[in-house]
Amino acid sequence: MSIITSNIIYDLVGLVIVITALTIVILYYKRAFNYWKNRNVPYLEATIPWGTLAAPHRRIVSLGEEITNIYKEAKIKGWKHFGFYILGSPIFMTTDLDTIKCILTKDFSHFVDRGINVNEKAEPITAHLFAIGGKKWRNLRTKFTPTFTSGKMRNMFQTLTDCGVKLEQYILKEVSYHEPFDIKNILGNFSTDIIGSCAFGLECNSFKDPNNPFRLMGNRIFNRTKLENLKFTITMNFPSLARLLRFKQLDPTLTEFFTKVVVDSVKYREKNNVQRQDFLQLLIDMKNNKDGSEQPGDGNTLTIDEMVAQCFVFFIAGFETSSTTMTFVLYELSKHPKIQEKVREEIVCILKKHNGAVTYDSLSEMKYLRQVIDETLRKYPALPFITRKCVEDYVVPGTNVKIEKSVRVFIPIRGIHYDQDYYENPEVFDPERFTDENKQNRNSYAFIPFGEGPRICIGMRFGIMQSKVGLVSILKNFKVTLNKKTKEPLVFSTNSIIPQVKGGVWLNLEKI
């Protein structure tokens, strides 16, 4: 056989393999994309290979905005329940608040899991409270809940106010230069110092050292590249393929950093018999629980890898969400000076009653500040949607729509928050929406920035308290105005689920 003939045969074999592979892929998708049609559920069309959503590396709006647009499209069509696709996976979504209440709360036993892929063996840091499900989640949630009681929050409050003083001193020093502030960066330093102390018992000193490892790692977590987003999408929807390709959800340097911090801190405390009132101490106590009733992996006792995972999620949740919320509060107040002045008047009045001290009780009295924070969370929820996974076949009440076991459910938080059925002129910033009277007249599930039900954000009260301390530290002494470096309208990064503004939010701060 001649060399030419051999090459032709090889080429033909290769062509046959490619055609066969493409045929298999196309047939798979054709079958997958008939899932909702075969079940008589309204659905949005999908294209191969990405499904209904845009390719993660070619997205022109943020994922939160894209999910919001899907919600709006369904509302226009008059759909209460519908399906769409991510890659080949069927996703269920509802626009009906009563159904959302059932999924998140009333019939929670059918939707215990979030549906987030966790590869605990290859990447144990991903097996944290936010992601895991089942019995382990229940046990850990029960163990962690006391960390966020009023008593424990009061114990941590001094740490927050100390960080607030550092924030105030830093701004006071820098404001004399008359330069605009990248406010998210500054508030990121504030949040990093708080979480570093409350979670790890470490002094980060972010204002003195903005390049400290915690700050750098925090920024790295939420600034994914397009390739990382692509890998993450595949990992969430094709976990077996992701394992085969050895995809990781996190940069290995992140895992190495947090593992070293936790291991070193635990060794130091146990060797020197150091006890602190913080999150890490709770984990150490769980690790050393030796009454014999616990089983490895049940969430009642912890390995060092499991401790690293819980510390990791405590850090990323507390660092990013609070700094983001405070950033958008100050952005909106810079555009609404009358609202800003009303907030400031409340702060000054209440602090005067408490001899000028920022205390746990004085913050609790600042109701209008809380209205401003809530309205900000409505417009800019830290998570624009949340997910649940059906763990047992479920029929939506009052319908014949069945959500089958293993199907994921998306709860479109941002879509609900911008729904004109619940909020007139939703693009307008109006804290009056959150007076006691207005809240009572509105379905409580029309405002769910922290989720709802048994899996509501465990650190919600801590996050609000942290945000209040930061905002009070700034607003009591500084007038905030918008700097021209802030590009409007705001454009959000397409590489982050949490809303991040391209080009940053730049503000002028003027000493009062």
Side-chain angles (χ1 to χ4, degrees):
M1 184 182 296
S2 69
I3 295 176
I4 294 177
T5 304
S6 297
N7 288 339
I8 292 174
I9 292 174
Y10 288 141
D11 289 343
L12 287 174
V13 170
L15 182 62
V16 169
I17 291 173
V18 170
I19 292 174
T20 301
L22 287 173
T23 302
I24 291 172
V25 169
I26 291 171
L27 290 175
Y28 164 80
Y29 273 104
K30 290 284 188 182
R31 181 174 180 273
F33 289 164
N34 279 325
Y35 181 89
W36 294 117
K37 181 180 180 181
N38 292 340
R39 288 157 179 79
N40 295 315
V41 175
Y43 64 95
L44 297 175
E45 294 290 345
T47 56
I48 299 173
W50 303 110
T52 308
L53 303 183
H57 57 293
R58 293 181 179 175
R59 200 169 278 135
I60 59 174
V61 298
S62 68
L63 183 56
E65 291 171 293
E66 195 170 10
I67 297 296
T68 299
N69 292 337
I70 285 177
Y71 175 91
K72 289 179 179 177
E73 184 176 349
K75 288 282 288 192
I76 291 171
K77 294 177 181 291
W79 294 347
K80 283 191 173 183
H81 316 99
F82 66 101
F84 66 98
Y85 300 91
I86 297 180
L87 292 174
S89 300
I91 308 294
F92 178 85
M93 188 184 284
T94 177
T95 63
D96 179 61
L97 295 187
D98 290 336
T99 303
I100 288 173
K101 181 178 181 179
C102 288
I103 291 170
L104 295 180
T105 307
K106 186 178 178 182
D107 298 318
F108 173 75
S109 60
H110 289 263
F111 302 96
V112 175
D113 296 354
R114 289 193 187 273
I116 297 174
N117 178 51
V118 173
N119 187 350
E120 192 165 359
K121 184 177 180 180
E123 203 173 8
I125 197 172
T126 62
H128 46 68
L129 186 66
F130 185 84
I132 60 175
K135 182 180 178 182
K136 184 174 183 178
W137 168 80
R138 291 181 186 277
N139 290 338
L140 279 178
R141 177 83 183 203
T142 300
K143 293 282 187 180
F144 291 164
T145 297
T147 307
F148 301 99
T149 59
S150 296
K152 290 293 179 68
M153 299 245 288
R154 286 178 184 272
N155 289 339
M156 290 187 281
F157 192 78
Q158 187 60 51
T159 298
L160 272 69
T161 55
D162 289 345
C163 292
V165 170
K166 292 178 183 178
L167 169 64
E168 187 178 336
Q169 290 174 342
Y170 174 82
I171 294 175
L172 193 59
K173 177 184 175 183
E174 295 295 320
V175 77
S176 60
Y177 295 105
H178 304 290
E179 294 292 330
F181 289 83
D182 179 352
I183 200 66
K184 173 67 184 302
N185 185 51
I186 291 171
L187 294 170
N189 290 338
F190 168 71
S191 295
T192 299
D193 284 356
I194 287 176
I195 301 302
S197 182
C198 292
F200 301 95
L202 300 174
E203 296 295 327
C204 294
N205 294 315
S206 299
F207 289 108
K208 292 183 179 179
D209 179 17
N211 292 318
N212 78 75
F214 276 95
R215 279 297 278 128
L216 296 177
M217 292 299 165
N219 288 329
R220 181 71 186 86
I221 292 166
F222 290 99
N223 288 286
R224 293 178 181 271
T225 65
K226 292 184 182 297
L227 179 59
E228 287 171 335
N229 273 332
L230 177 60
K231 288 182 176 180
F232 184 78
T233 301
I234 293 172
T235 300
M236 290 298 104
N237 294 277
F238 295 118
S240 297
L241 177 61
R243 287 189 177 94
L244 181 65
L245 298 174
R246 296 185 178 180
F247 283 174
K248 295 291 182 69
Q249 292 186 36
L250 296 172
D251 186 324
T253 58
L254 289 169
T255 301
E256 292 168 8
F257 170 75
F258 281 98
T259 300
K260 187 177 188 309
V261 168
V262 174
V263 170
D264 289 351
S265 297
V266 170
K267 284 182 179 179
Y268 176 81
R269 291 193 188 191
E270 293 186 335
K271 180 180 179 180
N272 296 281
N273 197 28
V274 174
Q275 295 274 331
R276 283 180 59 103
Q277 292 291 325
D278 59 17
F279 186 65
L280 182 59
Q281 189 62 51
L282 172 68
L283 300 183
I284 292 172
D285 293 342
M286 290 176 65
K287 178 180 75 74
N288 295 333
N289 193 335
K290 304 292 185 182
D291 69 7
S293 63
E294 295 76 23
Q295 298 295 323
D298 68 356
N300 281 314
T301 186
L302 295 173
T303 65
I304 195 69
D305 281 341
E306 290 169 331
M307 292 175 68
V308 172
Q310 310 319 316
C311 284
F312 172 72
V313 76
F314 188 99
F315 175 78
I316 62 173
F319 154 71
E320 182 66 17
T321 56
S322 292
S323 60
T324 296
T325 297
M326 288 185 285
T327 294
F328 287 120
V329 167
L330 294 175
Y331 166 75
E332 289 290 351
L333 292 182
S334 74
K335 293 173 65 66
H336 300 88
K338 290 183 179 180
I339 296 175
Q340 181 182 159
E341 190 55 36
K342 186 174 179 179
V343 174
R344 186 176 293 108
E345 287 176 359
E346 178 187 65
I347 291 171
V348 171
C349 180
I350 290 175
L351 290 184
K352 189 175 181 180
K353 287 168 51 181
H354 292 263
N355 299 316
V358 178
T359 65
Y360 186 87
D361 292 324
S362 66
L363 287 188
S364 299
E365 294 177 29
M366 297 179 187
K367 291 188 176 181
Y368 190 67
L369 175 60
R370 179 59 191 265
Q371 287 177 222
V372 168
I373 292 173
D374 283 347
E375 174 66 349
T376 302
L377 288 168
R378 181 192 68 80
K379 286 195 70 176
Y380 312 97
L383 286 179
F385 63 92
I386 53 175
T387 60
R388 293 290 185 268
K389 180 181 178 181
C390 188
V391 297
E392 182 181 349
D393 286 0
Y394 179 78
V395 177
V396 177
T399 75
N400 59 358
V401 175
K402 179 191 284 189
I403 306 175
E404 295 181 333
K405 181 178 179 180
S406 80
V407 168
R408 282 181 294 163
V409 177
F410 274 37
I411 306 297
I413 294 175
R414 189 175 182 276
I416 296 167
H417 288 185
Y418 277 78
D419 193 326
Q420 295 187 36
D421 288 346
Y422 314 121
Y423 301 100
E424 186 178 356
N425 299 320
E427 299 290 340
V428 174
F429 184 79
D430 181 11
E432 295 303 314
R433 302 182 200 273
F434 290 93
T435 62
D436 290 340
E437 181 182 358
N438 285 335
K439 285 193 295 184
Q440 288 172 3
N441 293 331
R442 185 172 55 238
N443 189 314
S444 62
Y445 282 76
F447 180 66
I448 49 173
F450 297 97
E452 193 48 86
R455 287 200 83 140
I456 192 171
C457 175
I458 193 172
M460 174 182 67
R461 294 172 64 204
F462 182 86
I464 293 294
M465 182 173 72
Q466 177 180 334
S467 297
K468 282 185 174 181
V469 170
L471 292 169
V472 168
S473 299
I474 293 174
L475 292 171
K476 69 177 181 175
N477 289 316
F478 302 97
K479 180 182 178 181
V480 183
T481 55
L482 191 66
N483 186 271
K484 61 183 181 182
K485 286 183 69 173
T486 302
K487 297 177 182 178
E488 293 190 293
L490 301 182
V491 176
F492 298 102
S493 169
T494 58
N495 292 328
S496 175
I497 292 180
I498 290 178
Q500 294 187 349
V501 178
K502 287 187 176 180
V505 175
W506 294 85
L507 302 177
N508 306 310
L509 273 64
E510 179 185 348
K511 181 76 169 71
I512 297 173

